[in-house]
């Protein structure tokens, strides 16, 4: 973890909670959990609310298939932490052989027809969403996948387009095999918000996406809203930023988060003035990349 404040927790209560959870579970609390506990009202709360609903709420896709979508998104973004984490969860629900084959080369894997139909679309959606066309969306809908199922799948990939960028940029620590197995079982059972259980009904993805956008880009925080918005625009191909370190952070988070270095994060922290300010800029870039994909998908879906 590149930011020590996120590693330890912000404030006495959060730091104590992290140590307590680690002690009870018998393993170090994974960085994926630490990041959503830090500066929670800014990023963690709206992000986990939407993720929990998308991954465990009502859907035409099984929990295992949605976890596979998350793992594939990680593969397409070179995020080993999330490939391992979500591949492990998916393997508890569907065949591990099938999960491994899909992650290796989904085009050659023996998969159900719906997965074979949706995965090529989701790969483009994750990598180059601007290249998708209304005809491709129409083709998905004519393959037996409903508009709601397509929206559900796009929500998962949009969310994990955010998560994998955070994992790469913050440099989440990999888990050993035993801890990975235990974490996967807990995540399958409890989902993405501790103590909430299975969400009722179908998720309102659009409302939850809007709440995440408002929280990260519009509400007062440590950094200026104009700066966060500029970082988000740069992460999705917008104008260059006048501060070179901010520009590189935004651009690489948006396009190639696996290339980000310890030195760049240290420079960003120094310029921003604190780890919390740097956290806001990093998550702004990641959230912008995910929401850009989400909006592109919705626009195409509306045109069919």
């Amino acid at each position: 973890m590149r930011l020590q404040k996120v590693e330890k927790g912000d404030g006495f209560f959060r730091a104590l909670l992290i140590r307590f959870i680690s002690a009870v579970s018998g393993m170090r609390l994974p960085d994926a959990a630490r990041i959503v506990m830090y500066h929670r009202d800014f990023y963690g709360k709206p992000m986990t609310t939407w993720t929990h609903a998308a991954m465990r709420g009502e859907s035409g896709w099984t929990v295992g298939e949605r976890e596979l979508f998350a793992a594939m998104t990680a593969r397409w973004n070179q995020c080993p932490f999330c490939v391992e984490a979500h591949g492990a969860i998916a393997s508890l629900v569907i065949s591990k052989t099938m999960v491994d084959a899909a992650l290796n080369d989904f085009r050659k894997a023996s998969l159900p027809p719906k997965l074979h139909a949706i995965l090529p679309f989701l790969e483009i959606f994750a990598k180059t969403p601007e290249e998708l066309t209304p005809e491709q969306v129409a083709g998905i809908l004519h393959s037996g996948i409903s508009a709601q199922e397509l929206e559900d799948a796009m929500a998962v990939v949009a969310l994990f387009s955010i998560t994998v960028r955070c994992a790469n940029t913050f440099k989440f620590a990999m888990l050993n095999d035993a801890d990975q197995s235990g974490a996967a079982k807990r995540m399958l059972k409890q989902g993405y918000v501790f103590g909430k259980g299975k969400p009722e009904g179908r998720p309102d993805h659009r409302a939850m996406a809007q709440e995440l956008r408002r929280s990260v880009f519009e509400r007062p925080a440590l950094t200026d809203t104009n700066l966060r918005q500029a970082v988000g625009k740069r992460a999705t191909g917008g104008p260059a930023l006048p501060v070179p370190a901010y520009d590189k952070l935004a651009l690489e988070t948006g396009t190639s988060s696996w290339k980000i270095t310890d030195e760049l994060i240290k420079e960003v922290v120094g310029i921003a003035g604190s780890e919390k300010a740097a956290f806001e800029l990093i998550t702004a870039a990641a959230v912008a990349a995910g929401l850009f994909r989400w909006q592109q998908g919705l626009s195409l879906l509306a045109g069919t």
Side-chain angles (χ1 to χ4, degrees):
M1 173 65 76
R2 286 174 167 140
L3 296 184
Q4 290 304 304
K5 294 290 187 182
V6 180
E7 168 86 21
K8 296 177 181 178
D10 51 345
F12 175 78
F13 174 75
R14 291 291 180 195
L16 186 64
L17 182 59
I18 287 172
R19 290 197 294 270
F20 174 77
I21 295 172
S22 297
V24 170
S25 65
M27 60 175 283
R28 177 185 176 276
L29 184 68
D31 290 334
R34 292 171 190 254
I35 190 178
V36 296
M37 292 173 66
Y38 181 80
H39 205 1
R40 180 162 173 74
D41 288 341
F42 176 77
Y43 169 77
K45 186 176 180 180
M47 183 65 182
T48 54
T49 297
W50 187 14
T51 305
H52 187 59
M55 299 301 284
R56 297 293 183 268
E58 182 181 333
S59 175
W61 303 104
T62 69
V63 167
E65 288 169 336
R66 282 175 275 174
E67 291 290 348
L68 178 61
F69 296 160
M72 295 302 303
T73 304
R75 175 70 76 197
W76 295 324
N77 285 277
Q78 299 186 41
C79 178
F81 177 92
C82 292
V83 170
E84 293 293 325
H86 299 284
I89 302 171
S91 295
L92 294 173
V93 184
I94 56 182
S95 163
K96 185 177 186 303
T97 301
M98 184 188 298
V99 172
D100 290 344
L103 288 169
N104 182 55
D105 186 347
F106 68 83
R107 290 175 176 83
K108 297 179 180 178
S110 179
L111 301 173
K114 281 176 64 176
L115 289 180
H116 266 304
I118 195 71
L119 286 175
F121 175 91
L122 293 181
E123 182 177 22
I124 302 171
F125 182 74
K127 291 181 174 180
T128 52
E130 65 280 358
E131 294 180 4
L132 288 170
T133 65
E135 290 75 21
Q136 288 171 306
V137 173
I140 290 292
L141 298 178
H142 285 123
S143 72
I145 293 170
S146 70
Q148 186 61 61
E149 288 172 333
L150 178 55
E151 183 172 313
D152 289 346
M154 291 192 302
V156 172
V157 175
L159 281 160
F160 283 91
S161 292
I162 298 169
T163 298
V164 298
R165 284 167 169 79
C166 288
N168 284 336
T169 304
F170 289 109
K171 200 176 181 180
F172 286 5
M174 298 294 292
L175 304 183
N176 62 40
D177 290 345
D179 287 351
Q180 188 69 266
S181 176
K185 291 173 183 176
R186 283 190 292 275
M187 288 297 295
L188 180 60
K189 181 179 180 180
Q190 73 184 37
Y192 290 79
V193 180
F194 181 74
K196 292 293 186 181
K198 182 179 179 180
E200 293 184 5
R202 193 170 290 280
D204 188 345
H205 297 300
R206 301 176 194 220
M208 287 182 280
Q210 185 60 26
E211 177 60 20
L212 178 62
R213 184 189 305 277
R214 282 195 295 262
S215 184
V216 173
F217 293 109
E218 297 176 8
R219 291 180 183 145
L222 190 59
T223 54
D224 185 77
T225 54
N226 290 327
L227 175 58
R228 277 177 271 138
Q229 290 169 13
V231 166
K233 289 176 182 177
R234 182 56 170 157
T236 55
L241 299 169
V243 178
Y246 288 173
D247 187 68
K248 187 173 184 180
L249 174 74
L251 191 60
E252 289 194 352
T253 300
T255 61
S256 49
S257 59
W258 59 90
K259 294 181 180 179
I260 290 174
T261 63
D262 296 349
E263 291 72 25
L264 177 59
I265 298 303
K266 289 177 183 177
E267 187 177 0
V268 169
V269 171
I271 296 169
S274 70
E275 288 196 353
K276 181 168 281 190
F279 177 90
E280 290 181 359
L281 299 182
I282 292 166
T283 50
V287 169
L291 292 182
F292 174 75
R293 284 153 176 78
W294 172 244
Q295 196 55 54
Q296 287 283 113
L298 287 186
S299 296
L300 288 169
L301 192 55
T304 56

